Amino acid sequence: MRFKSPLPFVTTTILLFLSFKPAVAEDWGVYRIVSASTPEFVLEAIGGVKEGAVVSIQKPSDMANQKWVVVPADDAVKVAAAADPSLVLTVDKGESRNGTLIVLAKDQGKPFQRWTLTKHENGSYSLIAKHAPEQGLDHFGGVREVGARIDLWTYMPTDVHLQWFIRPMAGSGVVEMKADTGPKYEPPAISREDILPGTTTQLSFNQSKIFPGTVRDVTVFVPAQYDGKRPACVYVKTDGFNPFEQKMLETMIATKEIPVTVGVFVRPGDLPAPLKGTVGRRNRDFEYDGISDNKVRFLIDELLPFIAKEYQLNLSTDGNDRCISGGSSGGIAAFTAAWHRPDAFSRVYAASGSWVAFRGGHEFPTMVRKFEAKPIRSFLTTATRDMENVAGDWYLLDLEMDKALKFSGYDYQFRVIDGRHVQGYAEHWREAMAYLWKGWPERVNAGPSAPRAQEVLIPGEGWQLVSEGLTKSTRGPAMNASGEVFFADTTANKLYRIGLDGKVSLFVDDAAHAHCVSVGVDGSVFTVSEKSDKLMKYDASGKGSVVMEGILGHSILARPDGSLYVTSNGDKPHGPGSVWLIKDGKKTEVDRGIKFATGMAYRPDQWLLSVGEGHSKWVYSYQIKDDGTLGNKERFFHLHVADWDDDAGPESLCYSLEGRQFIATRSGIQISADDGPTQIIIPVPDGSRVTGVAIGGPDKDILYAFCMNKIWKRKIRHHGIGAFTPWAKVTPNSL
């Protein structure tokens, strides 16, 4: 009996032209063809790449008979074996009856060797036979077995058995995946007598406050070359002690491939059982697969300072001098430590990293793509027969990490091993260390970031500290027509100004507990307060006057026509919040219902208003009507929420003249596309929550990030706007 999928996918028939050049297979790119009905299986030529081989499905591996190239041909495409592009997917004997087998055959240019591609909303394709346009490439019945029949069958748009994902392989520009094998590592020659043995000490560490009550084994390796005169480099292994690694450290220090390095081999903690006869709790998954900063804080705030003090070791605290490694959960723990604190660890070796959905690890490929690239050099491995369980497919997600790191321009190496989970860790350890430490003490630099980020960020222009300690709680910044930026220090009850010279100066000493600032068309500075019920107006000298009383406001936004928008949230911390229009001395509620209404910004073409929802992952969008009232409310802009946060925490908003929205959040400044999703995330150097964002400066191209008692700035390619900015056309920007 044949089963049909009920999924209602809308389809569009297209030809797949991917800028292929009809030359050699290396130019075409290499793909796996994955069954949509049974995604754990891929298309394979049974018995190898040879004429007459029957096509079926198999678990993914690194075998040549699972690698395909897709080449434009005869107003359609041909699907050829990557190892021998003269062999193509062929309908056996050119028949057109249901159930006809698919085989590899020499390319004769026949219609039964050509396919048109129909794309579905889920990203898959149906391969429709050119000689029989009512029939397509079929996984019969979605049978989850090796060797299941692949045949020709009547095409139906809703039949998932006729849908296939065509996925580029890691290093897909090279048929034999040479990008995965990498350059052959040749270790320097050295005599055994020149390798000096170091010393190891074991201890049990039970003093953690970050992981309270836990006990863990730690082994400390001190090389013979350590003299304490200068800070020693540090190697942290998350999976405990391995004599092999000690031997390799001794060898590579002797060959000078790595600097003098102290090794700290730490195991995950256990929570001992309190009662006789009960079993303790393993903390490995909690400590390692969770992607918060808990692990790195444990290392840099607790364990490493303890070891330095206990053994009187002079250990470097510079991330450029520290490397961290591990396999499986230990691999993602190593990368997570560097991700949160590249200033503490900038070199990472991760074998078969758990980039899977245990505790948010599956988010890493997305985070690598969206966040501004960090100064991390990494060496990653994966295995073709890696694990697969409820959390995901290790192998496929390792490939996703490879693609993400490449997409954002990271300094990294990736190796595909024909083996099982974490197989090859020891085999590639020395090669990994040689790569990670190459050029030391030169610093590890961040890559160029993803293409979208490059549209905004300027190479070499990083964050600079503007102020620290002068303020207590920076809020609600706004730019005036000349590029000066005004902001509130709510706790101190003051208003400050950042001049065109980049220096911070006091603007108003008693600011009615202002929470947010906006600058009007005439240069007046407007403020609202969540504590005072006064809406204030200040002239250029800082002289204030009351515009309106009886309104508690979180945020304020001056409009080009001289009116104002104010958000307020009453007495309840989670709303419902309101948006008010202040016009002609009157206040009108123009929206109600946002859980906690925060910052506001309007698009440069001045007909769309954005309002942040402070305890969620959303920014709302409204159409501004001619009279200033709001309509067509949409929960529109989707923010990234870090796994370790409960919500994105959007606080302050602004637009650039180029039409991109900048949002201050817990994760940093998020920059959204015009159609809603976050495309770029720019954290500040210390990873603090950003409470305010503005663009100012003499040329209106300085991005300011306000983080309570700190203010950061950096030059960008975009430019700031305000109520005084003339109407400007927005260029749509989508994914």
Side-chain angles (χ1 to χ4, degrees), residues 152-225:
L152 199 69
W153 202 270
T154 301
Y155 172 68
M156 295 180 60
T158 59
D159 193 344
V160 72
H161 304 129
L162 285 98
Q163 297 172 12
W164 304 85
F165 293 101
I166 303 175
R167 291 175 172 163
M169 298 183 69
S172 62
V174 182
V175 168
E176 297 300 327
M177 296 181 69
K178 295 175 183 177
D180 289 341
T181 58
K184 186 172 177 60
Y185 169 67
E186 298 288 349
I190 191 170
S191 63
R192 185 174 298 178
E193 307 81 64
D194 293 330
I195 300 174
L196 304 179
T199 60
T200 59
T201 307
Q202 295 181 337
L203 69 134
S204 180
F205 185 75
N206 61 359
Q207 301 181 26
S208 178
K209 295 180 180 180
I210 295 171
F211 303 118
T214 57
V215 180
R216 69 198 69 228
D217 294 330
V218 181
T219 300
V220 180
F221 162 76
V222 180
Q225 295 87 343

Side-chain angles (χ1 to χ4, degrees), residues 32 169-171 180 327-328 331-332 350-356 361-362 364-365 369 379-387 392-406 412-417 420-423:
R32 276 202 178 93
M169 298 183 69
D180 289 341
S328 189
I332 192 174
S352 294
S354 302
W355 323 109
V356 294
H362 61 292
F364 254 122
R369 290 173 181 270
F379 191 104
L380 278 63
T381 69
T382 189
T384 56
R385 289 170 283 131
D386 213 319
M387 291 195 301
D393 186 317
W394 265 250
Y395 176 60
L396 293 180
L397 286 160
D398 276 337
L399 297 184
E400 283 296 312
M401 273 295 285
D402 166 44
K403 293 172 66 178
L405 290 165
K406 184 178 181 180
Y412 81 106
Q413 290 285 296
F414 182 67
R415 301 285 183 269
V416 175
I417 299 160
R420 301 188 181 277
H421 190 56
V422 197
Q423 193 170 332

Side-chain angles (χ1 to χ4, degrees), residues 240-252:
F241 181 65
N242 188 328
F244 164 80
E245 288 172 84
Q246 175 185 343
K247 186 180 295 185
M248 287 296 97
L249 284 170
E250 292 168 344
T251 301
M252 297 186 76

Side-chain angles (χ1 to χ4, degrees), residues 12 51 77 94 130 153 228 260 293 299 402 452 538 594 604 684:
T12 304
E51 191 168 10
V77 300
K130 186 175 181 182
W153 202 270
V260 175
D293 65 351
L299 291 172
D402 166 44
R452 287 294 187 208
Y538 299 91
I594 295 180
V684 293

Side-chain angles (χ1 to χ4, degrees), residues 332-353:
I332 192 174
F335 192 91
T336 301
W339 177 260
H340 285 288
R341 294 293 300 274
D343 62 312
F345 295 99
S346 62
R347 308 171 194 271
V348 181
Y349 177 30
S352 294

Side-chain angles (χ1 to χ4, degrees), residues 494-675:
K494 301 178 187 295
L495 295 181
Y496 286 93
R497 171 172 47 202
I498 303 176
L500 300 183
D501 59 359
K503 296 181 179 179
V504 180
S505 62
L506 183 66
F507 179 58
V508 175
D509 190 41
D510 185 354
H513 302 282
H515 194 272
C516 185
V517 174
S518 190
V519 180
V521 291
D522 62 353
S524 298
V525 176
F526 296 91
T527 69
V528 289
S529 170
E530 291 185 319
K531 186 176 181 179
S532 161
D533 66 349
K534 295 181 175 62
L535 194 162
M536 300 293 297
K537 176 181 178 179
Y538 299 91
D539 63 18
S541 68
K543 182 180 179 181
S545 59
V546 178
V547 176
M548 179 176 291
E549 294 184 284
I551 184 167
L552 297 173
H554 185 93
S555 182
I556 188 169
L557 180 67
R559 297 187 63 216
D561 66 359
S563 61
L564 303 163
Y565 287 123
V566 172
T567 61
S568 68
N569 297 291
D571 297 328
K572 297 181 180 180
H574 292 272
S578 298
V579 182
W580 299 85
L581 173 65
I582 312 299
K583 188 176 182 181
D584 300 327
K586 300 178 181 179
K587 65 176 184 179
T588 304
E589 189 179 45
V590 291
D591 183 69
R592 182 175 178 82
I594 295 180
K595 290 181 181 178
F596 189 80
T598 57
M600 296 180 288
Y602 54 81
R603 223 169 59 157
D605 49 14
Q606 301 172 2
W607 68 275
L608 282 173
L609 177 72
S610 295
V611 180
E613 186 174 65
H615 299 290
S616 77
K617 59 182 178 183
W618 298 102
V619 172
Y620 280 78
S621 173
Y622 303 83
Q623 184 174 350
I624 302 174
K625 300 178 182 181
D626 291 343
D627 61 357
T629 58
L630 304 177
N632 298 327
K633 178 181 180 180
E634 295 280 1
R635 208 179 191 192
F636 191 79
F637 294 96
H638 182 275
L639 300 173
H640 173 83
V641 181
D643 178 74
W644 53 93
D645 287 332
D646 295 324
D647 57 69
E651 177 65 23
S652 168
L653 285 67
C654 72
Y655 263 97
S656 69
L657 187 63
E658 290 75 11
R660 306 297 172 259
Q661 187 169 208
F662 293 66
I663 306 151
T665 72
R666 297 178 186 274
S667 301
I669 296 171
Q670 301 196 34
I671 304 175
S672 69
D674 190 59
D675 58 356

